[in-house]
């Protein structure tokens, strides 16, 4: 039976990084079933399947960061990339804490776990702030916006880090047997931030965009996250026993979290478009002739020459590949019909022959 503010039943179901540091026992809480470990050069590696997913998550995060940074004119680009930076660091700490690279008995292990928990809360907070960017409370990409993200995320990280270390070391009124502060931050504050982000994005899409397709992306992100948490927190021991200790709920929870992050990226990419005014086009200059001479006109062979002559009637120069804008520019010069007729007559072979006839 799960009880508010207690980790005993949760840690009996799933192997979490903080579980060995909680409880009255020196060994902390242990899960009833966990994934098999492997031995590499006299060292035990835990959660090998989950570690593979972590490596994949690192590569996918790098790809998402590169794509976000490449959208130079997208709204909230610099703010959103902070989320993926935090997720990248979070995956690295997850790899370190669950693999056994740093032994649980090590004196530095609690500090790495506290850093992991702090990054988790900072990530959720930063994502929630990204939900506010669409309401233009301040201009995105400015120093005010970026430093608001950085400083507040740092405060949340420091708060969660202090609560974690205080709980592990039993500083003040914080207790390992009843980690109420840790429980509130991890299981209430973090989901609250994610829920606020989803609600804000629904409001932005409904009241701002002309299409509702992006709601599918954010819905899938929410579904993947919820499924991952259910499999990890409530069904991990049953999965472990059913698959005979090959994997447990941590494996599926890590996969679902990665899919949720990817869908958040897909959602952001779908609602932000490049501003063509500042995009660079690699195509060559395209010149367009608005009005050409009729095919049956006796001067039709000279149409190409006339199109390349500046100042002729009906010629429009449209530089559609200008590096200063995707729309280009156009200018037309209107010539009096009488002057146009004189120009066309001068191009006739008879007049050209007279022009070059010897004196």
């Amino acid at each position: 039976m799960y009880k508010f503010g207690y980790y005993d039943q949760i840690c009996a179901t799933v192997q979490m990084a903080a579980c060995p540091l909680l409880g009255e026992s020196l060994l902390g809480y242990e899960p009833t079933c966990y994934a098999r470990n492997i031995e590499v050069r006299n060292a035990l590696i835990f959660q090998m399947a989950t570690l593979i997913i972590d490596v994949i998550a690192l590569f996918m995060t790098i790809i998402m960061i590169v794509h976000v940074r490449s959208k130079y004119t997208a709204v909230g680009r610099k703010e959103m990339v902070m989320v993926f930076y935090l997720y990248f660091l979070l995956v690295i700490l997850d790899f370190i804490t669950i693999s056994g690279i740093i032994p649980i008995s090590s004196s530095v292990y609690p500090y790495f776990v506290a850093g992991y928990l702090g990054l988790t809360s900072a990530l959720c907070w930063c994502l929630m702030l990204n939900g506010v960017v669409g309401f233009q409370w301040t201009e995105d990409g400015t120093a005010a916006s970026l430093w608001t993200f950085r400083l507040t995320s740092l405060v949340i990280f420091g708060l969660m880090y202090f609560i974690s270390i205080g709980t592990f070391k039993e500083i003040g009124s914080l207790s390992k047997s009843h980690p109420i502060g840790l429980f509130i931050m991890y299981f209430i504050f973090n989901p609250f931030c994610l829920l606020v982000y989803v609600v804000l994005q629904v409001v932005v899409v409904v009241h701002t965009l002309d299409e509702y397709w992006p709601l599918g992306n954010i819905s899938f992100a929410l579904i993947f996250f919820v499924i991952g948490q259910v499999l990890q927190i409530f069904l991990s021991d049953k999965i472990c026993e059913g698959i005979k200790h090959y994997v447990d709920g941590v494996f599926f929870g890590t996969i679902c979290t990665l899919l949720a992050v990817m869908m958040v990226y897909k959602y952001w990419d779908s609602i932000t478009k490049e501003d063509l005014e500042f995009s660079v086009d690699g195509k060559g200059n395209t010149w367009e002739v608005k009005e050409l001479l009729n095919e049956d006109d006796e001067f039709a062979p000279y149409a190409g020459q006339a199109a390349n002559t500046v100042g002729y009637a009906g010629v429009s120069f449209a530089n559609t590949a200008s590096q200063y804008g995707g729309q280009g520019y156009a200018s037309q010069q209107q010539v009096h019909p009488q002057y146009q007729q004189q120009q066309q007559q001068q191009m006739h072979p008879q007049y050209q022959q007279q022009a070059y006839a010897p004196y």
Side-chain angles (χ1 to χ4, degrees):
M1 182 65 181
Y2 293 93
K3 293 183 294 184
F4 182 83
Y6 291 90
Y7 269 77
D8 51 352
Q9 187 60 42
I10 296 176
C11 291
T13 304
V14 59
Q15 181 183 6
M16 302 179 67
C19 291
L21 303 173
L22 300 175
E24 298 177 356
S25 173
L26 295 177
L27 299 177
Y29 295 123
E30 294 183 3
T32 56
C33 183
Y34 50 86
R36 298 183 182 185
N37 52 56
I38 62 174
E39 184 177 355
V40 179
R41 293 185 178 182
N42 298 326
L44 292 178
I45 304 298
F46 301 95
Q47 298 285 349
M48 189 61 195
T50 305
L51 298 182
I52 295 175
I53 302 301
D54 281 340
V55 173
I56 296 175
L58 292 176
F59 282 105
M60 295 303 301
T61 307
I62 293 175
I63 294 174
M64 290 185 287
I65 290 175
V66 171
H67 285 183
V68 172
R69 289 174 59 89
S70 65
K71 300 188 69 172
Y72 298 103
T73 60
V75 176
R77 174 180 68 96
K78 295 182 179 180
E79 288 81 1
M80 179 55 70
V81 79
M82 292 185 187
V83 173
F84 297 108
Y85 284 147
L86 291 174
Y87 179 69
F88 186 84
L89 295 176
L90 182 66
V91 173
I92 293 177
L93 285 182
D94 182 64
F95 188 98
I96 294 174
T97 53
I98 70 173
S99 62
I101 295 177
I102 299 179
I104 298 175
S105 59
S106 174
S107 59
V108 299
Y109 181 78
Y111 298 97
F112 278 90
V113 175
Y116 170 80
L117 296 175
L119 282 176
T120 303
S121 297
L123 172 63
C124 296
W125 174 262
C126 188
L127 185 61
M128 185 189 71
L129 290 184
N130 270 273
V132 185
V133 171
F135 294 92
Q136 294 296 313
W137 63 278
T138 185
E139 187 176 356
D140 63 286
T142 60
S145 176
L146 296 178
W147 280 105
T148 299
F149 273 71
R150 293 166 183 167
L151 293 178
T152 56
S153 298
L154 182 61
V155 170
I156 296 299
F157 171 83
L159 178 62
M160 185 59 167
Y161 190 89
F162 172 77
I163 293 176
S164 301
I165 291 296
T167 302
F168 301 152
K169 302 295 184 179
E170 293 190 312
I171 300 175
S173 60
L174 299 176
S175 172
K176 293 193 299 183
S177 59
H178 185 46
I180 182 66
L182 195 64
F183 187 94
I184 292 176
M185 288 293 294
Y186 192 83
F187 291 105
I188 296 181
F189 176 78
N190 293 349
F192 173 77
C193 292
L194 299 178
L195 181 60
V196 170
Y197 172 77
V198 173
V199 173
L200 291 176
Q201 296 316 295
V202 172
V203 174
V204 168
V205 172
V206 171
H207 290 278
T208 304
L209 302 182
D210 296 331
E211 57 183 14
Y212 295 155
W213 286 108
L215 290 178
N217 297 327
I218 200 67
S219 298
F220 275 115
L222 180 62
I223 291 172
F224 281 134
F225 178 78
V226 172
I227 291 176
Q229 296 304 306
V230 170
L231 293 177
Q232 182 172 344
I233 298 176
F234 298 99
L235 302 176
S236 180
D237 54 346
K238 297 179 176 58
I239 294 174
C240 178
E241 295 172 357
I243 310 181
K244 298 183 179 182
H245 294 257
Y246 284 102
V247 294
D248 56 9
V250 178
F251 172 77
F252 294 102
T254 305
I255 293 178
C256 291
T257 302
L258 172 60
L259 294 176
V261 173
M262 293 173 64
M263 292 309 300
V264 168
Y265 161 76
K266 181 62 178 177
Y267 163 76
W268 179 85
D269 185 65
S270 66
I271 65 173
T272 55
K273 297 184 182 298
E274 286 278 22
D275 188 352
L276 295 179
E277 183 180 356
F278 299 97
S279 63
V280 179
D281 192 354
K283 297 181 180 179
N285 292 335
T286 304
W287 301 90
E288 180 181 1
V289 179
K290 291 294 184 180
E291 297 179 4
L292 295 178
L293 299 176
N294 295 330
E295 293 182 359
D296 54 348
D297 198 308
E298 59 178 340
F299 302 108
Y302 305 97
Q305 181 179 355
N308 293 326
T309 305
V310 178
Y312 278 31
V315 180
S316 173
F317 302 93
N319 189 354
T320 60
S322 172
Q323 62 178 347
Y324 300 103
Q327 304 301 325
Y329 58 88
S331 62
Q332 293 186 351
Q333 180 178 357
Q334 300 296 333
V335 183
H336 194 276
Q338 180 179 359
Y339 182 69
Q340 178 182 1
Q341 184 178 4
Q342 293 177 1
Q343 288 180 331
Q344 294 177 353
Q345 290 177 355
Q346 291 176 0
M347 296 174 58
H348 195 276
Q350 180 179 356
Y351 291 96
Q352 293 180 355
Q353 182 177 4
Q354 294 177 1
Y356 295 98
Y359 292 99

